[in-house]
Amino acid sequence: MPTQHRVILGSSQQMSELADGSVQLMITSPPYPMIEMWDDLFAGADPKIAELWRKLKAGGGEETVAQIYDAMHGYLGEVWRETFRVLIDGGIACINIGDATRRLNGKFKLFPNHARVTEICEKIGFTALPYILWKKPTNKPSYKGKGAFLGSGFLPPNAYVTLDCEFILLFRKGNLRKFPPHDPKRYGSAFTKPQRDEWFSQIWTLKGTRQTLGELERRTAAFPDEIAERLIRMFSIEGDTVLDPFLGSGTTVKAAMQNGRNSVGYELDPNLLSIINQKTANPGKGVDVQIIKR
Ligand SMILES: C[S@@+](CC[C@H](N)C(=O)[O-])C[C@H]1O[C@@H](n2cnc3c(N)ncnc32)[C@H](O)[C@@H]1O
């Protein structure tokens, strides 16, 4: 079946290219609030966040830390709201996000991003569904929020549990999706029993993706192809349209191409186009890719 794929270089805070109720599935991994590698992106995208960081450096205190965290989730929340608009009734949203730990203002603490995203999505109108924990075998234990688990890390009570899981949060818009009886596209998209048993268990142990395409790919913190593929096979049928509002290196579009789904991806950083092109090159017969620069 021919499929169509659009990569839109622009912000997904407004997805004016997409009509209400035109997408069946959203899969994404946003920049994670309070993870250092994304600080510049948040500050560059929202001057209020840049101003709050300046305030913190000038001695702002814990209240300022809380305001920065709120503002970062406010930024992502705009995209969750747009996603709600473009999803069909019964459409599913899958959000891969990790919590963060950080020492700010002299205090080490957890920023539970998964809880904040869940709260915001429920306020928007999504129904929260049981989620997946993606266990990455690579992260090292830490002591006092530092990388290595050194000598005193063996003494109670001041060592910290390592964040070696990320969340894949799952939400539904509205009611269960309806299909005609014996819909051939739905039945043609069935998974096997071993796939069902593995994919619908709560913990997925998968290595982080090997970033083989160089520094640019590392900068996107791409998720493994397998995550996008499983979610597509679990929550959409052939011919559906899959959206990724934080496309990064293009993993979701690639997985959609390989699984008979249409796709739309939004990416803010135009420098990533070369890597998106590499990931989505040679898609095969009947697969059409369009790059749209706003
Ligand atoms: C964690 S990365 C996504 C990685 C992706 N899952 C992959 O496999 O490559 C988040 C991406 O969101 C992009 N981004 C941030 N804000 C955005 C916005 N408002 N609209 C579109 N893209 C945005 C960033 O430039 C970054 O490339």
Side-chain angles (χ1 to χ4, degrees), residues 79-92:
V79 179
W80 311 143
R81 193 172 292 286
E82 266 293 86
T83 298
F84 190 81
R85 176 183 72 76
V86 303
L87 276 174
I88 60 161
D89 188 39
I92 304 273

Side-chain angles (χ1 to χ4, degrees), residues 32-39 53 65 69 72-73 97-114 139-148 158-167:
Y32 298 175
M34 288 304 185
I35 293 281
E36 232 169 310
M37 76 173 276
W38 297 114
D39 284 356
W53 278 117
V65 173
Y69 187 50
M72 288 173 166
H73 277 286
I97 192 150
D99 290 345
T101 50
R102 192 148 177 188
R103 182 178 302 280
L104 281 172
N105 201 35
K107 187 174 172 189
F108 176 84
K109 62 173 273 188
L110 175 74
F111 293 90
N113 287 321
H114 81 280
N139 287 5
K140 300 224 168 44
S142 71
Y143 174 64
K144 286 191 172 176
K146 299 191 182 97
N158 293 338
Y160 300 114
V161 169
T162 309
L163 293 185
D164 55 8
C165 286
E166 293 196 5
F167 292 76

Side-chain angles (χ1 to χ4, degrees), residues 106-291:
K107 187 174 172 189
F108 176 84
K109 62 173 273 188
L110 175 74
F111 293 90
N113 287 321
H114 81 280
R116 187 61 73 92
V117 170
T118 303
E119 207 178 291
I120 291 172
C121 285
E122 284 192 303
K123 275 199 187 124
I124 288 170
F126 281 108
T127 303
L129 304 174
Y131 54 77
I132 294 157
L133 289 171
W134 168 24
K135 182 161 168 53
K136 294 173 158 184
T138 49
N139 287 5
K140 300 224 168 44
S142 71
Y143 174 64
K144 286 191 172 176
K146 299 191 182 97
F149 211 109
L150 300 170
S152 43
F154 293 91
L155 299 173
N158 293 338
Y160 300 114
V161 169
T162 309
L163 293 185
D164 55 8
C165 286
E166 293 196 5
F167 292 76
I168 300 174
L169 302 173
L170 302 172
F171 301 95
R172 181 185 289 115
K173 172 178 170 178
N175 301 304
L176 289 184
R177 212 172 139 185
K178 293 203 172 63
F179 296 91
H182 310 296
D183 180 348
K185 278 197 202 155
R186 189 179 186 205
Y187 279 73
S189 309
F191 27 78
T192 64
K193 181 166 184 309
Q195 285 170 339
R196 197 223 107 96
D197 292 348
E198 193 178 353
W199 297 352
F200 287 85
S201 70
Q202 199 180 16
I203 298 179
W204 290 1
T205 304
L206 293 172
K207 284 210 181 90
T209 191
R210 276 184 53 212
Q211 323 259 299
T212 50
L213 301 177
E215 177 52 31
L216 213 49
E217 191 185 25
R218 248 187 307 282
R219 247 177 50 196
T220 65
F223 50 37
D225 292 2
E226 182 152 6
I227 289 203
E229 280 196 31
R230 282 188 187 188
L231 294 170
I232 284 176
R233 298 274 315 273
M234 289 162 78
F235 298 117
S236 71
I237 66 167
E238 285 166 14
D240 277 356
T241 296
V242 183
L243 162 71
D244 188 339
F246 297 103
L247 184 63
S249 64
T251 315
T252 303
V253 167
K254 178 182 168 193
M257 284 174 164
Q258 293 174 340
N259 287 282
R261 274 63 167 177
N262 303 291
S263 70
V264 184
Y266 282 84
E267 176 49 54
L268 194 59
D269 182 354
N271 295 320
L272 294 180
L273 185 56
S274 63
I275 197 151
I276 294 170
N277 280 333
Q278 281 181 68
K279 266 207 184 173
T280 57
N282 309 317
K285 238 178 115 191
V287 182
D288 179 48
V289 192
Q290 230 185 318
I291 309 288

